[in-house]
Amino acid sequence: KRFLHKGNEFVKLATTVGYPFHEDEKLDLSKYCCSPAKHTKYTLQAVTNHLGRINVGHYISITKHPNTKQWFENNDGEVTLLRQDRIKQRESSSTAYVLFFQLDL
């Protein structure tokens, strides 16, 4: 949850969210299933970040190429390959707004 309704206004929350960014790391939801489930692991595919305040801001996305598994930053019309040192910085974020995962089959 990135935004909070507080009285007559909305407030942007700056909670840091950690997520499994590397290919060998998975989001495992098995502990939330009532019975044994076959497929419970997910791989992160993209992150949308919101920079700014609630009424004024900018969105930047980080996406993984489906074939090469390389990560790219998408900022308006500019697409930049993320260097390894910048990937380490992306394992958590206080600007993450939407995380996109794909079910591992």
Side-chain angles (χ1 to χ4, degrees), residues 3-70:
F3 301 103
L4 175 68
H5 184 251
K6 197 173 183 182
N8 292 331
E9 64 182 356
F10 285 93
V11 177
K12 182 178 177 186
L13 303 175
T15 308
T16 298
V17 177
Y19 39 85
F21 202 83
H22 298 281
E23 190 65 27
D24 59 337
E25 298 175 318
K26 307 291 181 185
L27 173 64
D28 187 355
L29 298 180
S30 59
K31 64 182 177 182
Y32 302 105
C33 298
C34 355
S35 61
K38 251 184 171 176
H39 305 292
T40 60
K41 294 186 180 178
Y42 295 78
T43 302
L44 184 67
Q45 300 298 317
V47 179
T48 300
N49 295 283
H50 179 264
L51 310 172
R53 298 187 311 269
I54 192 158
N55 56 345
V56 177
H58 182 68
Y59 292 93
I60 295 175
S61 66
I62 309 297
T63 55
K64 183 170 63 174
H65 190 280
N67 298 326
T68 66
K69 309 299 184 201
Q70 293 176 300

